[in-house]
Amino acid sequence: MTTNDVQVAVIGAGFSGLGAAIKLKQNGFDDFVLLDRGQNFGGTWRDNTYPGAACDVPSQLYSYSFALNPNWTRSYGHQPEIHQYINDVADKYGIGAKTRWGSEVTHAEWNEDQARWIIDVTRDGTSEQYRAQILVGGVGPLCEPNLPDIDGIDSFGGKIVHSARWDNDYDFTGKRVAVIGTGASAIQLVPEVAKVAAHVDVYQRTAPWIVPRTERAYRPAENWAFKHVPGVQKVMRAAVYGLNEVTALGLTYAPNALKPVELACRTNISKAITDPELKDKVTPKFAVGCKRILRSNNWYPTLARPNVDLITDGISKITGSSVVSNDGTEREVDVIVVATGFHVTDSPVFEAIVGADGRSLAQVWAGTGMQGYKGTFIHGFPNLALMVGPSTGLGHTSMVYMIESQLNYLVDYLKQVREKGLTRVDVKASAQDEYNKGIQHALRNSVWENGGCASWYKDANGNITTLWPGFTFNFRRITRKFDIAAYDVERATAAASA
Ligand code: N01
């Protein structure tokens, strides 16, 4: 097996990995490779092809600031358009030539003697190895589907499909469908499936809060202005950004300020549903914002359709041809759609990354929960920068903003590595501890902590290790410069450099 030496290896060609590759190139770090198990750019926007897949963050905010897209056709982007945008940006910056497709990273381990990451990859059934001074993890938190552990699910004789692994060749026309889950993915796909299916049983464990989706098509004059009038799109982007940031106030510091949002959600329900029993079933029993606030105009009307049933009794088991709910009712189905989310705080990726003391991220975080410094560096994992790492997720605005903040930090780190000849950079345990105490302190009054719900924002121990508390401009501020004093660093000796 040959070993390929590179200065930087980036894993994942989604928004964060692609962004890292572009920034590397722009700043003269040309000795890098981008590894992705798929066949084109897009990450989660490549993988989620279920009908109705769309973004619930306004399209003006859903692009890199350095590659605004004047061609958005709608105020909220749909999956094909976002996927296309990401691939267009990759083309514009010539990142394809640096990318190895079909390359699945199975193991990455820090080798202290060599001061390098040793990265094992399988590609077309063969093994490859990369040796990199710096590893950038751009795998994203929403990439590993979570399959529900329901009694008998393996014995189901029909088709089972996860929302993030959609089979576009499967024809749902006339089928009896069970959908498990009522999160962001389910509320987008069920309305589309229900249009063609004979019947859809929706299994809801927890009702989500859903605001109306104020989506509209852009007029040609608007697209013309985005393209030709300097600053128009930037001003619009800034306005949308500012409006969204207001929500951070309610989510983090003053949940009562979200009462108008709750009212909008209740109105959304009342407009579509008159049956009091159904109305009660779809009305959440926790504070708005505790789980992700969803956006839809067609979810409640879909639940009111004659070919859709909302089942809230819970699932007791699955047989060869049916789903049995806790009240004993057995419902025959042809296909089960599992829209049950992702392994976020327990991603299998964490098992594959092994740090300086021989322990994987999964082992280190088993005790503490996900912890890092500025969402990017993790003590004991030298020269590893994790994009969308611990405590960077959001409930109110675009992750692309957070990713770009991390890219600033990454670039400044790389420049210091280059200028100072740094060979090993590891965040100090004390700096990381203090940082995480600050995060938890900032979360203490948040709706995620006190809103009375269970969510993927919390890990198995009930700690919120996924979310950034407060305004995103504060994250931008703390990631503007690489604060080397928070790190233990080693430099190349003159002899070694020579
Ligand atoms: O997953 P989810 P998702 N038995 O985890 C239920 C992003 N996203 O794929 O609430 C029965 O939100 C679970 O029930 P409960 C966005 O960040 C963005 O929908 O845990 N039910 C829930 O209803 C989002 O937050 C867009 O009680 C089970 C559902 O499955 C994230 O992706 C679009 C179950 C899972 O909901 C994940 O969304 C789509 C079980 N064993 C997704 N296990 C945009 O628009 C789970 N559930 C940008």
Side-chain angles (χ1 to χ4, degrees), residues 237-254:
R237 184 177 164 99
V240 177
Y241 173 78
L243 275 175
N244 277 17
E245 281 305 287
V246 175
T247 312
L249 262 179
L251 292 171
T252 314
Y253 309 110

Side-chain angles (χ1 to χ4, degrees), residues 44-45 48 50 53-57 62 77 82 142 146-150 162-164 180-188 203-208 213 291-292 294 315 338-342 344 394 454-457:
T44 191
W45 291 104
N48 282 269
Y50 59 79
C55 190
D56 56 12
V57 172
Y62 218 72
I82 298 171
L142 304 175
N146 171 39
L147 301 172
D149 184 17
I150 298 173
H162 188 276
S163 54
I180 304 175
T182 53
S185 303
I187 69 148
Q188 294 182 338
Y203 289 86
Q204 172 187 280
R205 196 163 64 178
T206 315
R213 189 176 169 94
K291 281 173 178 289
R292 189 177 176 89
L294 309 183
I315 300 169
V338 284
T340 43
F342 301 88
V344 180
L394 300 173
S455 77
W456 64 259
Y457 296 152

Side-chain angles (χ1 to χ4, degrees), residues 9 26 35-36 88 110 113 148 169 171 211 229 268-269 280 286 297 353 377 462:
Q26 285 180 331
L35 303 166
D36 193 288
D88 289 347
W110 174 254
D113 296 336
D169 293 330
D171 186 3
V211 290
V229 184
N268 205 15
I269 296 171
D280 184 55
F286 58 87
N297 297 333
I353 300 179
F377 289 89

Side-chain angles (χ1 to χ4, degrees), residues 68-223:
L68 297 187
N69 179 11
N71 302 317
W72 290 125
T73 60
R74 306 188 67 79
S75 56
Y76 287 89
H78 288 222
Q79 180 269 338
E81 200 172 12
I82 298 171
H83 186 209
Q84 186 63 50
Y85 163 77
I86 298 171
N87 279 278
D88 289 347
V89 173
D91 278 352
K92 181 175 167 189
Y93 289 91
I95 303 301
K98 293 294 223 173
T99 310
R100 296 279 282 172
W101 298 117
S103 299
E104 172 119 31
V105 174
T106 54
H107 190 81
E109 183 156 355
W110 174 254
N111 182 306
E112 202 68 87
D113 296 336
Q114 300 179 29
R116 290 286 182 278
W117 280 94
I118 309 297
I119 302 150
D120 295 329
V121 172
T122 54
R123 186 168 188 265
D124 295 334
T126 58
S127 301
E128 288 183 354
Q129 201 168 66
Y130 288 84
R131 185 164 49 195
Q133 185 192 357
I134 291 158
L135 180 63
V136 178
V139 291
L142 304 175
C143 72
E144 296 294 337
N146 171 39
L147 301 172
D149 184 17
I150 298 173
D151 185 25
I153 194 163
D154 293 335
S155 67
F156 183 65
K159 188 172 179 68
I160 300 186
V161 60
H162 188 276
S163 54
R165 297 288 181 271
W166 201 255
D167 179 355
N168 283 292
D169 293 330
Y170 184 81
D171 186 3
F172 279 78
T173 308
K175 296 291 193 312
R176 297 164 303 171
V177 186
V179 178
I180 304 175
T182 53
S185 303
I187 69 148
Q188 294 182 338
L189 70 88
V190 170
E192 300 305 315
V193 169
K195 284 178 191 165
V196 297
H199 192 86
V200 183
D201 294 322
V202 178
Y203 289 86
Q204 172 187 280
R205 196 163 64 178
T206 315
W209 286 110
I210 305 176
V211 290
R213 189 176 169 94
T214 50
E215 180 182 326
R216 66 179 182 85
Y218 282 130
R219 291 181 285 274
E222 288 174 288
N223 286 114

Side-chain angles (χ1 to χ4, degrees), residues 31 33 131 139 181 226 241 249 293 335 404 416 434 469 491 495:
D31 184 15
V33 66
R131 185 164 49 195
V139 291
F226 296 157
Y241 173 78
L249 262 179
I293 300 168
V335 49
E404 283 200 55
Q416 297 209 32
E434 200 173 319
R491 291 178 166 78

